[in-house]
Amino acid sequence: MSARRLPHGGSEIDRSRPLKFTFDGRTVEGFGGDTIASALLASGQRIVGRSFKYHRPRGIWGAGVEEPNALLDVERDGRRTPNARATTEPVRDGLVARSVNAAPSAEQDRNAFLDRFSRFIPAAFYYKTFMWPDWHLFEPRIRAMAGLGAVDPAWAQDRSADQINRHCDVLVVGAGPAGLATAASAAAAGHSVLVVDDQSRPGGSLRHRAGEIDGRPGAQWAAETVAALEKAGLVLLSNTTAFGIYDHNLVALNQRHDDGRPDTLWRVRPKRIVLATGAIERPLPFANNDLPGILSADAALQYLKRHAVLAGERIVVATNNDRAYEAASVMAEAGAEVTLVDVRPAASADAGKARMLSGRAVVAAHGRNAVEGVTLDDGTRLSADCVLVSGGWTPSVHLYSQAKGKLAWRDDLAAFVPGAEVEGIGTSGALAGAISLSKVLESGVAALGPLAAKSKASPAPKSTGVEASLNTSAAWPKPKAKGRVWIDYQNDVTAKDVELAARENFVSVEHLKRYTTLGMATDQGKTSNLNGLALLAEATGRSIPDVGTTTYRPPFTPVPFTSLVGARRKSLLAPVRRLPLDTVHRAQGASFREYGGWLRPAYYGGTGSGSAAAIQDEARRARQSVALFDGSTLGKIEVIGPRAAEFVDFIYYNTMSTLKPGRCRYGFMLSENGVVFDDGILVRLDEHRFVVSCSSSHVAAVHARLEEWRQDRFGRDAVYIHNATAQYATLTVSGPNAKVLLEALDLGASLDDASLPHMAITNDRFGGEEVRIARVSFTGDRSYEVSIRADRAEALWARMQQEGRALEAVTIGLEALMILRAEKGYIVIGKDTDGATMPHDLGVAGPRQKRVTEFVGRRSLFTEEGTRSDRKQLVGLAVAEGEAPLGIGAHGIERRGGAKRSLGYVTSSYFSPTLGRPIALGLIEQGASRHGEVIDIQHLGMLRRATITAPCAFDPAGDRLNG
């Protein structure tokens, strides 16, 4: 390969700005506007990487995101980016580039010997070879050899990536002729337009191919159109890839920056998406078609026109369509000796000065570390230092398919194109199968769909010059071809691998992908998919449409984690959430700990070894008189609307619609698999308004879940969800003297049991502010939760403490509360439950047995798993007098045949100062029917004994609720 830089030309390089960088330690020169790939080609660099599996030498194939070979680790300004594509990475002075999957360099890779053993390591060989005696013996070494690129262990993020949300009328993906025609038409109709393109400049194929629009050269028309559109307010994002289309036509964009800033993530919600993503040139199948020096014909044309790089001196152009003729003609005009080999018997386009060989096909390429020649199907051998191939064009349907679009096969294109229209999405240009510039421009306007129909959209620009044609004659890989015909360059998949998969009955295209790795990784089938599908079709006696395509998944190209993370790092990843009375508690000597994302008082007073005594003292005094506790973190999510009662019935395991206004009910929310997701109190304020008081750590998750199910089954006119947790502080008064203290606050409420029974609410006022009093209890004693505006809570808290002094009130932290609730057998979700706990495991089986209406998780409660007789159930665990508390996480065990088996484990364990002994809760197999049984408990190598009891260890009759 004798690629070189021409002394003139190159529309996108600045020869006044020479630059230097290194590749594998060698200095390479380039110019401003060069990509690493164009500069490497200009310097004559043949090998830029090694293949993934066999470590074969690989050269540059493409000129954009389709590049499968030239992946580099790039270091700039002390920051390394792994697996950057040389074809999209701009050259910067002082940049350091290293080939991946090669040691010590791409030219001198010590693992190149693996290619000699290729016959022994075909597709899926590791599934068969390394199963005996144990896969884990081989796994470390295999994993060490796998993967591409190197992560910098010293890397540290020094700034956050920006994330931008945007709405617009029309989002155009692709700034080629079709995309610009769409944008111009939409802007003329008065629509707000956002255009994104993954290249550094708009124009697409107009930047390197012949074309004339409205009497102007294509590149000039593109530049003038963009300038006019930007003047009119259109936003154009270059170097920006639309990498995914998600639910409700949310489009995710990754914008790259040249100034060292992290990539920007855009979330765009347009009324109409127009995909003008173009098409990618396919390789031709012949033996050794992966040698360095074999390039896409269109890529070579781009390098010549944009960067003044001639890919070779003796060039063979192999094609099955008309589009390669322009490349052959331009290469010949640039001074190369060009032979055009066309599989079609008669030429239908002008090859200029290139030598023509019609009706012939390349069957093999020759050379060791680079192509040196080719052999034709008639035995003719042609000398060549560069082979340009064009096996047809594959429309870039990835985004359309991500939007659930169905593809249609077109024989005239030998390709899949978008089929039925997806709501809110139009397609244009080469993606839609348009070939001539006239059709491309027309399709751009038509893609606006209803927006164009309802507007005074301007007419499409007209092609006034040469028109492109395609006239493809399919040239698919054939079974039993001689030599090694490469289908997927990036993943080292050959035609023989595909045939092997078919022989072993992996005839589903999805199975083929996983068996051979065809179309996986960052390539996502851009260059390989269609050739692989065609070969599978031939091998299994089916048509290509019958074989179908694999599932195209986002991202279309790799997206840096920094872009996805944005500002969500360090303290912004999990922001410290503080109580409205945080400073007050600190002033009163509270020691804080993190609970479910909240910084809350754990206890007051004692420090160090004295903290345990302080916690015990708080729990003891809470049972004797009255305790004050800040429960502001409890969820306060309002469910409002005419169908709110129906909605909460569906969300909760318990029937909630029968709840009367002014009353509360305890209930469970389940996941779809029937597992307990959260528990808490539901308050009914009036006929159409409820308050979900969920666990403190689950507020965000419950809110999201409520909103998800509302969107799934109910409209906003039926149910509205409002998270009011942060708006209110909730201050709890609990204990034998709770009623006395609350009466002293002069709230104006009647607190007698008839007016305010357990599980009821009332609304009153404090200092002119409305308060809601809920008589609910998490301690088992008479308790009241008083909710007030968060910014008015300090005065109420101070008054509570003032009135409490005469009653010897105690302020308690969360650690004492945990003791109090455990004495009563009250659970904490996620602590006393696990990812398999269902409500009947907790002793709440009534709704499961009696409810006939649907609710989330209902059917899962009756699965084989849900009805097992040996399920783990909530129990209490008691130890002998004088023994220490059981360790949390300790396992209950039984012995079978000398082996130990876990029966379950301890979930909560404390010393109860009120009972004067340890208490514990646990999940034990068939625990509900084993009360009184003594089992072995093992923890950290120690074996103890415990008696299974009922979960409630204190006041089982519940007398203290009304005491």
Side-chain angles (χ1 to χ4, degrees), residues 604-748:
Y604 294 79
T607 59
S609 59
S611 61
I615 294 167
Q616 288 283 303
D617 183 61
E618 289 174 12
R620 177 183 55 79
R621 292 172 60 191
R623 293 290 189 205
Q624 293 173 347
S625 179
V626 61
L628 303 179
F629 173 75
D630 190 341
S632 300
T633 59
L634 288 170
K636 292 169 275 286
I637 305 173
E638 297 193 13
V639 178
I640 309 164
R643 296 178 64 190
E646 179 187 347
F647 178 75
V648 294
D649 266 354
F650 179 72
I651 289 294
Y652 277 93
Y653 170 64
N654 318 67
T655 299
M656 295 298 191
S657 59
T658 56
L659 192 62
K660 295 179 179 180
R663 293 292 188 264
C664 316
R665 185 170 294 164
Y666 174 79
F668 291 135
M669 290 184 192
L670 309 184
S671 298
E672 291 178 73
N673 59 5
V675 171
V676 177
F677 176 76
D678 192 57
D679 70 337
I681 300 297
L682 181 72
V683 180
R684 189 168 197 170
L685 300 181
D686 58 40
E687 183 181 1
H688 303 305
R689 188 179 180 193
F690 295 81
V691 177
V692 176
S693 180
C694 55
S695 303
S696 300
S697 60
H698 289 173
V699 173
V702 169
H703 183 211
R705 178 161 298 221
L706 294 176
E707 186 61 37
E708 178 182 3
W709 282 113
R710 182 203 63 76
Q711 293 181 25
D712 183 73
R713 296 174 66 95
F714 304 83
R716 276 205 175 132
D717 57 341
V719 177
Y720 183 80
I721 311 295
H722 172 59
N723 185 2
T725 303
Q727 295 175 233
Y728 296 97
T730 299
L731 308 179
T732 302
V733 180
S734 176
N737 290 323
K739 180 181 174 183
V740 177
L741 190 150
L742 210 63
E743 288 174 333
L745 299 180
D746 298 324
L747 300 178

Side-chain angles (χ1 to χ4, degrees), residues 131-175:
M131 293 300 101
W132 186 90
D134 186 352
W135 156 257
H136 296 96
L137 296 176
F138 307 99
E139 182 181 16
R141 181 57 182 160
I142 291 175
R143 292 200 180 280
M145 294 182 66
L148 297 174
V151 174
D152 182 2
W155 183 89
Q157 186 175 348
D158 58 359
R159 68 177 87 174
S160 297
D162 290 332
Q163 294 187 344
I164 300 173
N165 294 292
R166 189 180 184 92
H167 291 263
C168 62
D169 293 333
V170 181
L171 170 67
V172 182
V173 181

Side-chain angles (χ1 to χ4, degrees), residues 510-525:
E510 295 289 358
H511 293 163
L512 170 70
K513 178 178 179 178
R514 285 150 184 80
Y515 187 79
T516 64
T517 69
L518 174 72
M520 295 179 75
T522 61
D523 179 67
Q524 284 295 299

Side-chain angles (χ1 to χ4, degrees), residues 314-316 337 372-374 381-385:
R314 300 182 316 280
I315 300 176
V316 170
E337 178 186 325
E372 298 172 2
V374 297
R381 183 155 180 163
L382 303 176
S383 175
D385 62 358

Side-chain angles (χ1 to χ4, degrees), residues 17 23 37 71 86 101 134 168 363 438 634 698 755 846 880 954 957:
R17 273 203 310 131
F23 171 73
L71 302 180
N101 208 40
D134 186 352
C168 62
V363 295
S438 293
L634 288 170
H698 289 173
S755 302
F954 176 74

